[in-house]
Amino acid sequence: CHDSIVHQELRNCDLYVMMGNDVKGRRAKEFVYKSGKPFLVVTGSLFNVKNPTMVRVSVNGFVNNMSQLPDADYSRWEKIRKYYNFNNIFKKREGKGVVIALNAKTSPAQFDGLEDWLYNTVKTVSENTDQPIYIRHHRKRKQGYTDKYNQMLQEFKVHQDGDTKQGGIPRQYAAAITYTSTFSVTSLMYGTPHIATHPGNFVYDITQSEPIDLDWYPDEDSLTYHYAKLARTEWTLEEISNGKCWETLEPLLRSNPQ
């Protein structure tokens, strides 16, 4: 039935599968989230957002690693690395400027708090570095900004940057700051020091959470281990249809550690 309708039959289900993490105003999805029962979320590729040939499947969570991650699988990560042709990664690179990469305004992590977060982040960064500040807008910028955003532009010197559709290796900055944007995954992988300010960020566990040390970069072993966990959320349609994905995620669904 339509996503705006919470049908009585939904209450009898033991497991739910939701397509996409656009939750606000979706009554059925909000019902599932509050039900306490296990659910899967199927959404865009984590490693190739612009031209996906895989999808991301997560357990009991809309917001990145607020869902349950499987244990690390190094062979799976090597397969993903070769599949996407990721080479010369996990090496810190030099860059210029601090980029603040925004979520879509429809992201469940930032229903209403995007502009407050952005204003406070720009203010903190401007007080701690002389590096130029870039704001990287999400390609799905469906909603306009309010006076808070215009106030920030007047108070602080920032540069506008775009989220292009070409994909590939991201532009190199001295540091990147995100809330829960997927930009964190590729930028960190290709050598940009990262600050992840929300515990639901994909790379929160291995990065800084406060903009106090813009130069810090994780060691290669820590990065490899963490990406070996992320690799088990990325699946081809063939792996979903032949049960490989279910084989990995079923134990998490059965234990339902919400």
Side-chain angles (χ1 to χ4, degrees):
C1 62
H2 196 272
D3 189 39
S4 64
I5 302 170
V6 181
H7 195 280
Q8 185 65 31
E9 289 295 322
L10 282 179
R11 306 180 192 281
N12 299 327
C13 296
D14 299 314
L15 167 69
Y16 304 93
V17 180
M18 287 185 282
M19 308 303 292
N21 60 0
D22 52 332
V23 185
K24 187 177 184 181
R26 306 291 186 123
R27 292 180 59 200
K29 289 183 177 180
E30 290 175 355
F31 166 79
V32 168
Y33 183 72
K34 297 174 183 177
S35 70
K37 295 180 180 179
F39 61 92
L40 293 171
V41 179
V42 182
T43 187
S45 168
L46 180 61
F47 296 106
N48 190 351
V49 178
K50 313 296 169 49
N51 185 28
T53 51
M54 289 187 173
V55 295
R56 184 168 80 251
V57 186
S58 57
V59 177
N60 290 349
F62 299 106
V63 187
N64 310 338
N65 69 354
M66 291 298 283
S67 62
Q68 278 70 54
L69 287 178
D71 292 334
D73 184 336
Y74 291 97
S75 61
R76 177 73 185 174
W77 166 241
E78 184 62 16
K79 180 178 180 179
I80 294 290
R81 188 193 67 76
K82 290 181 178 179
Y83 184 91
Y84 285 120
N85 196 29
F86 295 147
N87 296 308
N88 196 24
I89 57 175
F90 301 155
K91 308 292 184 184
K92 183 183 176 183
R93 292 173 171 83
E94 298 301 321
K96 182 178 181 181
V98 178
V99 62
I100 302 171
L102 303 183
N103 287 54
K105 292 196 75 174
T106 54
S107 166
Q110 293 180 310
F111 284 153
D112 303 306
L114 175 62
E115 291 177 48
D116 286 338
W117 173 81
L118 179 59
Y119 178 91
N120 293 331
T121 301
V122 169
K123 183 176 185 295
T124 301
V125 173
S126 64
E127 292 171 349
N128 286 279
T129 182
D130 293 328
Q131 288 268 11
I133 300 172
Y134 297 87
I135 297 176
R136 187 177 190 269
H137 295 284
H138 195 279
R139 68 192 183 285
K140 294 181 180 178
R141 181 181 165 186
K142 297 178 180 178
Q143 302 172 6
Y145 291 108
T146 66
D147 291 341
K148 188 79 172 183
Y149 183 82
N150 295 325
Q151 177 187 347
M152 180 205 66
L153 294 180
Q154 292 175 4
E155 288 189 34
F156 307 103
K157 183 178 180 180
V158 298
H159 305 272
Q160 310 286 338
D161 201 358
D163 181 358
T164 65
K165 296 182 179 181
Q166 280 72 39
I169 299 176
R171 174 180 169 183
Q172 198 64 39
Y173 297 95
I177 302 175
T178 61
Y179 200 73
T180 60
S181 170
T182 54
F183 176 78
S184 61
V185 176
T186 50
S187 64
L188 181 68
M189 183 172 63
Y190 280 111
T192 300
H194 206 89
I195 295 163
T197 63
H198 186 274
N201 193 299
F202 294 99
V203 298
Y204 184 84
D205 291 346
I206 55 170
T207 56
Q208 300 284 347
S209 59
E210 297 289 340
I212 53 177
D213 186 355
L214 298 177
D215 195 50
W216 186 83
Y217 191 74
D219 63 83
E220 187 170 354
D221 287 345
S222 298
L223 286 161
T224 303
Y225 172 76
H226 190 75
Y227 278 70
K229 291 195 294 182
L230 294 178
R232 299 185 79 190
T233 67
E234 191 89 349
W235 301 96
T236 65
L237 297 184
E238 180 183 1
E239 290 174 322
I240 293 174
S241 64
N242 67 20
K244 183 70 174 178
C245 173
W246 181 254
E247 180 182 306
T248 296
L249 299 181
E250 184 184 18
L252 293 176
L253 289 164
R254 289 194 177 280
S255 62
N256 195 25
Q258 293 198 35

